Amino acid sequence: MTTITAYPPRADSRRPDRLAPLAAGWLGLWGVLALVSMLTDGGYPLGPNDSNGGDVSLLRLVPVEVATPIFAAVLLTAAVAALAMSRPAVRPPGPLRALLAGYGWAVAFALVLVVPDVRVLIVLGYLPILIVGAPFGWPPVDYADVFNWALFARFAALAGGLLLAGAVLTWQRRTTGACVGCGRADTGRRWTTPAAATRWGRWAVGIAAAIPFTYAVTRFAWAAGIPLGISREFLTEMQDTGLVWAGFGLAAFATVGAILTLGLAQRWGERFPRWMLGLAGRRVPVRLAVLPAALVAISVTAASLGLLSNPKFWELTGGLSLTGAPMLLWPLWGVALGAATYAYHLRRRGTCRRCARS
């Protein structure tokens, strides 16, 4: 049952209205840069043009001479679509509405899950080590090779895709009479109630926590000198090249992520535990849990699309072996973590400051 309570308006309740103009501006600016890149025959940093990680991206399948104009055209037309969605609430005809929404979601999907690929996940996993170790010269990498134009393009695509997805979602809510801020309508959906989200959210949390932990076990074993699922020769080769410690770093990141994932269904995920001085007992801000978890869910899903479609992955992991088996579950991990994050949001979103529904 929908409850209506009077609440004073808040500035952040108007944020959804800004998504379409922001998306139009971001995609339009990037589209112009891509157009200039096409006319000057340079600057496209993705796919075959990316010598540092382009082989783990689905964009490797698109020739540069074809990808460059398509990329510019898609960005510019998506900017126009986002601009159209920023107009006041006018419900367009059914076919036009379906076409506009379908195109918006398709472009958002490509920018969020196709362009970023596995490098975004790797950088997120190693970022703490890179930041802490930078003053001490460890790890021994050239930071200019890590934080380059190709990596920036991936994060720019991720940002643009998220803005566009938010704009499309807001527009769909507005044109169907639902609340722009929370998506609630007068006809409630039972599976979105806190009680229902608690039930199915537990399953999602369990799956999303178990998968990265199984990945971490194999990599920790390799770091300990145990050839779990691989030959002793391959383990020695990884020890000589230092790859075993790269795997250890990602395993540590995955383990921490698995533990934090459990918080999406535990009390300490809603209130800070007692041992956290200065924060003990206080409510955990919803966005503090939702935003990082959503980013990891998106990054894992994007990484799995390019990685699992690359024939070299199957050659290096020996096909269906213990080496690559945990990574075969990455698509499920991304979906489960996304569902667990959404369930957490549904449980804790409370009364909407915009429509006052609860």
Side-chain angles (χ1 to χ4, degrees), residues 136-216:
F136 308 100
W138 191 89
V141 297
D142 187 348
Y143 282 70
D145 290 337
V146 177
F147 300 99
N148 53 23
W149 169 235
L151 181 64
F152 170 78
R154 286 167 168 81
F155 276 99
L158 181 59
L162 291 176
L163 285 173
L164 181 58
V168 177
L169 181 61
T170 300
W171 179 74
Q172 287 184 310
R173 288 174 174 176
R174 184 186 295 119
T175 55
T176 55
C179 174
V180 172
C182 67
R184 294 183 178 102
D186 292 332
T187 55
R189 292 170 291 182
R190 293 183 179 180
W191 66 273
T192 64
T193 63
T198 299
R199 290 192 297 271
W200 59 263
R202 288 198 188 101
W203 286 96
V205 167
I207 296 172
I211 293 175
F213 184 72
T214 58
Y215 169 85

Side-chain angles (χ1 to χ4, degrees), residues 21 24 38 64-65 76 116 157 159-160 178 190 199 205 208 236 260 310 331 339 343 358:
M38 180 187 68
V64 174
E65 58 273 12
L76 291 173
R190 293 183 179 180
R199 290 192 297 271
V205 167
T236 302
L260 292 177
N310 190 341
S358 65

Side-chain angles (χ1 to χ4, degrees), residues 9-305:
R10 278 178 20 175
D12 60 358
S13 67
R14 299 296 173 185
R15 287 178 180 173
D17 299 320
R18 307 185 188 119
L19 289 173
L22 285 174
W26 181 264
L27 295 173
L29 175 61
W30 199 18
V32 171
L33 293 176
L35 187 61
V36 172
S37 169
M38 180 187 68
L39 296 176
T40 57
D41 194 26
Y44 178 72
L46 304 171
N49 265 6
D50 182 12
S51 59
N52 188 14
D55 57 339
V56 292
S57 171
L58 285 173
L59 296 178
R60 71 183 184 277
L61 304 175
V62 185
V64 174
E65 58 273 12
V66 175
T68 306
I70 290 178
F71 197 55
V74 166
L75 291 173
L76 291 173
T77 52
V80 174
L83 197 61
M85 294 177 191
S86 65
R87 298 180 59 191
V90 176
R91 185 181 178 88
L96 178 59
R97 185 173 182 273
L99 178 63
L100 190 57
Y103 183 73
W105 283 119
V107 175
F109 177 89
L111 292 177
V112 170
L113 296 179
V114 176
V115 178
D117 68 53
V118 73
R119 282 193 62 188
V120 170
L121 181 64
I122 292 174
V123 169
L124 291 176
Y126 283 116
L127 192 59
I129 298 175
L130 293 173
I131 293 175
V132 174
F136 308 100
W138 191 89
V141 297
D142 187 348
Y143 282 70
D145 290 337
V146 177
F147 300 99
N148 53 23
W149 169 235
L151 181 64
F152 170 78
R154 286 167 168 81
F155 276 99
L158 181 59
L162 291 176
L163 285 173
L164 181 58
V168 177
L169 181 61
T170 300
W171 179 74
Q172 287 184 310
R173 288 174 174 176
R174 184 186 295 119
T175 55
T176 55
C179 174
V180 172
C182 67
R184 294 183 178 102
D186 292 332
T187 55
R189 292 170 291 182
R190 293 183 179 180
W191 66 273
T192 64
T193 63
T198 299
R199 290 192 297 271
W200 59 263
R202 288 198 188 101
W203 286 96
V205 167
I207 296 172
I211 293 175
F213 184 72
T214 58
Y215 169 85
V217 167
T218 58
R219 274 57 185 178
F220 283 143
W222 298 349
I226 303 173
L228 184 61
I230 59 176
S231 65
R232 173 62 67 177
E233 293 75 15
F234 187 36
L235 177 60
T236 302
E237 181 182 344
M238 288 198 298
Q239 290 173 334
D240 293 339
T241 59
L243 285 177
V244 67
W245 298 112
F248 179 87
L250 287 178
F253 173 68
T255 302
V256 172
I259 295 172
L260 292 177
T261 299
L262 295 175
L264 297 175
Q266 300 293 327
R267 178 174 174 78
W268 55 266
E270 299 183 17
R271 291 191 178 275
F272 289 106
R274 296 178 181 178
W275 55 267
M276 298 191 69
L277 299 179
L279 295 174
R282 294 187 180 183
R283 288 176 61 85
V284 176
V286 177
R287 291 175 183 171
L288 182 63
V290 168
L291 294 181
L295 179 60
V296 172
I298 291 171
S299 302
V300 167
T301 306
S304 64
L305 291 179

